[in-house]
Amino acid sequence: MSAISYAEAPGLVRAIGRWDLVAFVINGILGAGIFGLPAKVHALLGAWGIVAIIACALLIGVVIMCFAEVSSRFSKTGGPYLYTTEAFGPTVGFLTGWLLWLARISGICAICGVLAEYASFVVPAVGQGAPRTMLISGVVVAISILHVSGVRHAARFGNVVTIAKLAPLLVFVALGLPVIVGSRFDFSVQPTNQDFSGAVLLLAFAFVGWESALVAQGEVRDPRRDTPFALVLGLTAVALLYIGIQVVCVGVLPNLAASKRPLADAALQFLGPSGATLIVVGAMISMLGTINGSVLTVSRLPFAMAEAGQLPRWLTTLHPRFRTPVPAIVLSAVIVLVLTISSTFTYLLTISTIARLLVFAITCAALPVLRRRAASPPALLTVPGGLAAPIAALVLITWLLASTSWKETRDVLLATVAGVVLLGIARLNRSRPEGQPGEA
């Protein structure tokens, strides 16, 4: 018998089609990272940053192939939480879901901070203080209301945003490539292994976010077929775009390493003020799209864990008309606002990346377990090469985690301990006879 004991999430609507899912994957990946990281990566590696982007794309590609096979076995809400529960049991599953929720929450916060930075290019006052808080609050509240109103609306918004965010970036690459200066690509200085791994770790933030699409499988029309397709196509498209963006930034912006808004500053060099404004607007739209997809994740994960009895049951409450998990959406929005206002971008980015890498490692380790277990749901896609893909993914993830700093790693571990405490409280409440004080 399968390790999953809870039923298909009741009441959720399967309204997400194949191309809606592709849009969610692209929106998840293409967020704030690429608008801020070209400068940081160039400061570490110079022209070798282009090689780091390719290396990071290949690394994430190996991980995505593992996820593609695992996801082809499931059609319920939960994503990695669901997969690891099936493979390793409810405790490991809960910790995976908890880490993924932490990764997405901190990721939204980091993106909100960059959104305010880019918005200050147009309206300088929103870059700090009360105007910044008001801007971020307005964005989070508006997108939360959109998600309360129904997953169909969120999917349609995601489709529109995907087109709106890709158009200015494609224009940036197409018009920037012909004017790059070849002498700025200096590969003579070899970066250290520490700098290279640190840059790849930073870039990993720009290549994650696709896991949001997996969490919503319970609202996808044909999740076992469409999810692997969307993952592979979405990563390929975004990787090619990232390489083009970095090449243009290096080739046209002399002081790239010092830029706070590298794409806007690069566009200013060859498109003028109107081009820079176009990139800023495109960046803001891109971040809105990523926040939209992330809200889907941070609300559906608590819903799925509450369905399994690992979080309070009130998180499973659905809107009577729209069939959306309103308490989970509101709770996540409040936490995002508090963390965004009180934390820095680099800290949140690193926390998000570490937590995601741990989720990726556990899920990749689940692949051979699900293959061996006869009672596991059958896979519609099998990655060739036997154990080569999951082993390679685990080795690469370990290499990246080894380059993290102790402060952020410590905080992720503390957050994990907090999750264990919550799970223990939930189990204690379930073990009490009905009517005793302290029940959920």
Side-chain angles (χ1 to χ4, degrees):
M1 181 179 294
S2 169
I4 300 295
S5 59
Y6 49 90
E8 179 94 24
L12 295 177
V13 178
R14 290 194 179 274
I16 302 175
R18 167 171 284 200
W19 293 103
D20 296 326
L21 198 60
V22 171
F24 267 122
V25 170
I26 293 176
N27 271 323
I29 303 174
L30 190 58
I34 195 57
F35 294 97
L37 289 178
K40 292 177 170 47
V41 171
H42 191 72
L44 286 171
L45 305 179
W48 285 93
I50 299 167
V51 179
I53 291 177
I54 297 172
C56 192
L58 293 174
L59 185 157
I60 298 298
V62 173
V63 175
I64 272 187
M65 291 309 298
C66 297
F67 271 75
E69 177 177 330
V70 174
S71 67
S72 74
R73 298 175 182 271
F74 297 93
S75 59
K76 299 176 184 176
T77 297
Y81 162 70
L82 179 67
Y83 313 153
T84 53
T85 299
E86 176 70 39
F88 301 117
T91 300
V92 175
F94 175 84
L95 290 177
T96 304
W98 179 258
L99 283 169
L100 181 56
W101 182 80
L102 172 66
R104 296 310 293 161
I105 284 285
S106 54
I108 295 175
C109 297
I111 292 168
C112 285
V114 179
L115 175 64
E117 183 70 36
Y118 266 78
S120 67
F121 182 88
V122 181
V123 184
V126 301
Q128 57 186 347
R132 178 181 183 272
T133 301
M134 292 175 62
L135 171 67
I136 293 172
S137 300
V139 167
V140 173
V141 170
I143 292 182
S144 298
I145 291 173
L146 175 70
H147 278 260
V148 168
S149 69
V151 71
R152 288 190 182 92
H153 296 154
R156 289 169 187 158
F157 178 72
N159 293 341
V160 172
V161 167
T162 300
I163 298 171
K165 72 161 60 173
L166 286 176
L169 292 176
L170 291 173
V171 169
F172 176 84
V173 173
L175 298 183
L177 286 175
V179 298
I180 61 175
V181 178
S183 60
R184 291 185 179 141
F185 295 87
D186 182 9
F187 292 93
S188 61
V189 180
Q190 295 278 345
T192 65
N193 181 65
Q194 183 178 2
D195 284 343
F196 191 84
S197 60
V200 174
L201 179 67
L202 283 175
L203 284 166
F205 182 77
F207 276 99
V208 296
W210 43 267
E211 67 276 4
S212 296
L214 304 176
V215 175
Q217 279 184 280
E219 293 162 276
V220 177
R221 291 174 192 146
D222 191 2
R224 296 178 64 199
R225 297 183 186 278
D226 292 348
T227 303
F229 172 84
L231 288 175
V232 174
L233 181 59
L235 175 67
T236 302
V238 172
L240 293 173
L241 182 61
Y242 280 1
I243 294 169
I245 289 172
Q246 188 72 16
V247 168
V248 172
C249 286
V250 173
V252 304
L253 190 59
N255 58 339
L256 173 58
S259 174
K260 291 185 177 180
R261 294 180 289 262
L263 271 70
D265 291 339
L268 190 63
Q269 298 292 315
F270 63 93
L271 294 176
S274 59
T277 302
L278 174 67
I279 292 300
V280 167
V281 173
M284 294 170 62
I285 292 173
S286 176
M287 295 172 210
L288 288 174
T290 304
I291 294 170
N292 176 59
S294 297
V295 169
L296 193 69
T297 304
V298 299
S299 59
R300 269 50 174 188
L301 272 172
F303 175 87
M305 289 190 282
E307 274 288 298
Q310 295 175 323
L311 287 178
R313 292 289 298 178
W314 56 266
L315 288 169
T316 65
T317 304
L318 297 177
H319 192 283
R321 176 184 172 190
F322 303 124
R323 315 307 298 167
T324 50
V326 178
I329 294 172
V330 173
L331 174 65
S332 300
V334 170
I335 294 173
V336 164
L337 288 175
V338 172
L339 287 179
T340 303
I341 295 169
S342 61
S343 304
T344 64
F345 168 72
T346 303
Y347 172 80
L348 291 167
L349 182 150
T350 308
I351 289 288
S352 181
T353 303
I354 293 172
R356 277 190 178 97
L357 289 174
L358 291 172
V359 170
F360 293 168
I362 300 170
T363 305
C364 289
L367 189 152
V369 175
L370 294 172
R371 282 180 178 176
R372 289 198 308 268
R373 183 175 296 160
S376 297
L380 294 186
L381 169 71
T382 301
V383 177
L387 295 178
I391 291 174
L394 290 171
V395 169
L396 292 168
I397 290 169
T398 302
W399 172 63
L400 283 180
L401 287 172
S403 66
T404 59
S405 67
W406 166 242
K407 177 185 176 183
E408 286 81 6
T409 303
R410 177 203 64 196
D411 290 350
V412 171
L413 292 175
L414 290 174
T416 304
V417 171
V420 173
V421 172
L422 284 177
L423 178 60
I425 292 172
R427 287 178 172 173
L428 180 63
N429 285 335
R430 290 208 315 273
S431 67
R432 285 195 177 100
E434 186 174 352
Q436 271 199 346
E439 191 169 2

